[in-house]
Amino acid sequence: MTLRARFAPSPTGYLHVGGARTALFNWLLVRKEGGVFVLRIEDTDRERSSEEHTRAILHGLEWLGMDWDEGPFFQSQGLERHKAHALQLLDSGSAYRDFSTPEEAARDREEEVAAGGRSRRARQRADAMSPEEVAARMEAGAPFAVRFRVPDGETAWEDGVHGEVRFRNQEIDDLVILRSDGTPTYNLAVVSDDVDMKITLVLRGDDHLSNTPKQILLYEALGRPVPAFAHVPLILGPDGRRLSKRHGAMAVGDYEKQGILPEAMFNFLAFLGWSPGDDREVFARQELVEAFSLERVLRKSAIFDLEKLRWLNGQHLMRMPTEELLPKVEARLREEGVLPAKGGPAEGAAAAATDPVPLDLPTLVELLKPRSRTVEELVAQARPYFLDELAYDPDAVRKHWLKDRQETLGRLENLLERLSAAEWTPEALEGAVRGLAEEMGVGAGKVIHPLRVALTGVAASPGIFDLLMLLGRARSLQRLQRAVAVLRSGKPLDFRGDETLS
Ligand code: GLU
């Protein structure tokens, strides 16, 4: 039998982390088994549903790369079928008309609370009513709801995650399936749609566990095959409380705006309640399709850990081909005015005026990729490479220049001389730097760290020889000269207005 699974979000909000995780588990299983992934928008709550939310949900799925095979279907389009199913249940005696007045219903509820169980009072009143009276009331237009007659006994299923789950039917309310205004309730609409769409697996969040026995009873009463069910665990924040806004953004779209890569989000969502059983953590989409199975979905709640998302993002960034990353970085640098606007009048002119040899952006991206967790971080690190006048980071200056300023100045002056004379190859540059350290009887770090601050303004960067090659002779020497001048003059450094070198 072909696996037919569905994702059935209500467009009453954006695509949130929990919903996306449910969609993902369904999608992974379907893609693994060559099944059909159906998308159904459950928009029967007209007041709270909106087109904007529907669009955001579809966009979120597309962004994450979860394509669907059928749909999107809209639950509201199935109203007539939902009603027909309710009528079928009425005809077969599996449901009854409930003419209870609001007062009677309120009394029933009080009684139920007092008894701590289900009273079945509405059922008793309905059963006591003769067919003639029912007909007369209907004739008079008296409002009634249609309630499902929950049979005696137990309802059990083999849950794909939890194993056997049992409910005693006496604990289940005779649920309303059609309201007195003729609209179907959630449980009826879902069962009617799942029957219609020939769904064979219902995989959804644990919050639906208590709906499942009701839905199984409805399938049975309709004489339809019951699909398999699997309930995935809740998602909690790192503090062990149910995931909510206070733990960070809930909408998948917010992460997209923050520069999280869809591959990283996809990987992250898969680990919310699933593990491959070994210590692998970084997976591409297709690798997840292969590795995923319901057996490895965990029963205990999943913890939402933003740090892990950022880490995964860095891992996926590192694996991303530079040519794919490049346009994103370029666009951000243009937005910030670090690079001239594309095709703008400044483009060629500015580059020619300041950069005799334009900086090799692909190489820079290549070097920064393993050192960044997000595109934003990469762009922030890339920025200084394009500046004519570096701003020096105060902490870096304090640590690597000012601790022993005279010695540092001496080393940088000497270095300037050697690099000016050196052939511009990684080997020659390395020879010059290490040779100087040796002659001065200091560790190479004592030369490399001050040089790094001179070249980048900051204390951390890719390897120094890669850096010198990237910046090129003219730019590197210019930066080194400026550092020497700044250190020599002892004039206030522009890294912070109120600070001086002495
Ligand atoms: N529309 C329901 C929800 O958003 C899901 C229904 C289902 O998966 O059965 O929670």
Side-chain angles (χ1 to χ4, degrees), residues 282-428:
V282 185
F283 283 81
R285 270 196 198 94
Q286 192 50 37
E287 291 170 337
L288 279 168
V289 168
E290 278 149 33
F292 191 80
S293 74
L294 263 189
E295 288 76 54
R296 299 220 67 91
V297 172
L298 311 168
R299 291 184 194 186
K300 64 173 188 344
S301 309
I303 304 287
F304 181 84
D305 178 359
L306 268 181
E307 268 314 297
K308 174 141 184 197
L309 174 58
R310 296 217 174 88
W311 177 78
L312 275 174
N313 206 62
Q315 295 295 310
H316 283 274
L317 201 67
M318 196 156 73
R319 283 166 175 70
M320 196 177 211
T322 295
E323 63 270 21
E324 245 177 76
L325 194 53
L326 200 58
K328 295 179 203 276
V329 174
E330 240 184 305
R332 287 291 298 118
L333 287 171
R334 287 189 201 286
E335 253 170 60
E336 293 192 13
V338 175
L339 286 178
K342 203 151 192 154
E347 198 179 15
T354 55
D355 293 347
V357 184
L359 205 64
D360 178 5
L361 190 55
T363 302
L364 178 60
V365 168
E366 192 75 34
L367 290 176
L368 294 179
K369 219 163 57 161
R371 315 180 51 84
S372 320
R373 291 185 308 172
T374 60
V375 172
E376 281 308 303
E377 272 183 27
L378 195 154
V379 167
Q381 290 189 69
R383 206 175 290 126
Y385 294 89
F386 295 90
L387 299 177
D388 287 338
E389 301 252 298
L390 274 190
Y392 300 108
D393 170 52
D395 289 336
V397 166
R398 228 172 270 130
K399 189 158 171 213
H400 297 303
W401 282 6
L402 299 189
K403 248 194 211 147
D404 29 32
R405 186 180 146 207
Q406 277 318 318
E407 288 82 348
T408 305
L409 175 59
R411 283 172 211 149
L412 290 184
E413 280 171 338
N414 199 320
L415 199 55
L416 183 56
E417 226 165 88
R418 286 174 192 236
L419 294 186
S420 303
E423 200 192 334
W424 213 260
T425 63
E427 299 73 32

Side-chain angles (χ1 to χ4, degrees), residues 18-327:
R21 190 270 311 255
T22 299
L24 182 82
F25 283 14
N26 276 292
W27 186 90
L28 286 173
L29 275 181
V30 162
R31 290 293 169 258
K32 180 174 184 163
E33 296 187 18
V36 177
F37 183 46
V38 181
L39 178 59
R40 178 172 78 230
I41 304 293
E42 304 210 316
D43 60 341
T44 39
D45 185 341
R46 303 306 288 171
E47 308 241 296
R48 293 174 55 228
S49 298
S50 79
E51 245 178 70
E52 186 196 341
H53 290 142
T54 301
R55 269 197 304 275
I57 292 170
L58 300 188
H59 171 78
L61 294 174
E62 279 163 3
W63 179 67
L64 286 166
M66 287 189 252
D67 52 339
W68 52 91
D69 306 302
E70 291 180 15
F73 298 112
F74 290 84
Q75 188 158 62
S76 58
Q77 312 244 294
L79 283 181
E80 289 312 313
R81 176 173 28 76
H82 303 152
K83 276 189 209 164
H85 275 134
L87 289 181
Q88 181 191 332
L89 292 171
L90 262 182
D91 285 348
S92 65
S94 297
Y96 55 89
R97 292 186 179 82
D98 175 9
F99 289 96
S100 304
T101 60
E103 296 72 37
E104 283 170 327
R107 225 179 306 128
D108 292 351
R109 259 194 305 280
E110 271 170 32
E111 209 180 283
E112 284 190 355
V113 173
R118 306 292 173 205
S119 74
R120 310 264 191 247
R121 278 281 184 240
R123 187 197 295 194
Q124 285 161 13
R125 276 195 298 276
D127 287 352
M129 213 175 269
S130 67
E132 294 73 28
E133 188 173 353
V134 170
R137 286 197 185 213
M138 284 175 66
E139 184 90 352
F144 65 88
V146 177
R147 274 186 193 271
F148 181 64
R149 186 186 295 271
V150 172
D152 295 338
E154 268 192 342
T155 303
W157 74 93
E158 193 60 33
D159 193 276
V161 174
H162 296 274
E164 193 188 60
V165 183
R166 277 179 184 281
F167 277 83
R168 289 191 303 166
N169 291 3
Q170 70 192 53
E171 280 158 19
I172 304 171
D173 204 9
D174 269 1
L175 52 139
V176 169
I177 50 176
L178 215 54
R179 299 184 191 92
S180 55
D181 63 2
T183 58
T185 57
Y186 161 72
N187 282 300
L188 176 71
V190 165
V191 169
S192 173
D193 287 355
D194 284 341
V195 162
D196 188 53
M197 295 165 194
K198 302 189 170 52
I199 295 303
T200 63
L201 169 68
V202 174
L203 185 154
R204 57 190 174 189
D206 259 359
D207 48 335
H208 283 288
L209 258 175
S210 63
N211 284 319
T212 301
K214 299 175 189 171
Q215 295 180 9
I216 289 176
L217 291 170
L218 287 172
Y219 282 101
E220 287 171 346
L222 287 167
R224 301 301 185 128
V226 180
F229 286 90
H231 294 84
V232 295
L234 278 182
I235 304 174
L236 306 178
D239 57 359
R241 313 245 297 269
R242 202 179 162 149
L243 191 64
S244 72
K245 287 230 166 68
R246 69 170 177 271
H247 296 114
M250 295 281 290
V252 168
D254 292 340
Y255 293 103
E256 182 186 359
K257 283 188 210 119
Q258 287 172 22
I260 294 291
L261 299 169
E263 294 82 359
M265 193 75 199
F266 190 96
N267 190 164
F268 175 71
L269 290 170
F271 273 80
L272 289 176
W274 172 84
S275 118
D278 51 39
D279 53 11
R280 284 176 304 161
E281 292 191 283
V282 185
F283 283 81
R285 270 196 198 94
Q286 192 50 37
E287 291 170 337
L288 279 168
V289 168
E290 278 149 33
F292 191 80
S293 74
L294 263 189
E295 288 76 54
R296 299 220 67 91
V297 172
L298 311 168
R299 291 184 194 186
K300 64 173 188 344
S301 309
I303 304 287
F304 181 84
D305 178 359
L306 268 181
E307 268 314 297
K308 174 141 184 197
L309 174 58
R310 296 217 174 88
W311 177 78
L312 275 174
N313 206 62
Q315 295 295 310
H316 283 274
L317 201 67
M318 196 156 73
R319 283 166 175 70
M320 196 177 211
T322 295
E323 63 270 21
E324 245 177 76
L325 194 53
L326 200 58

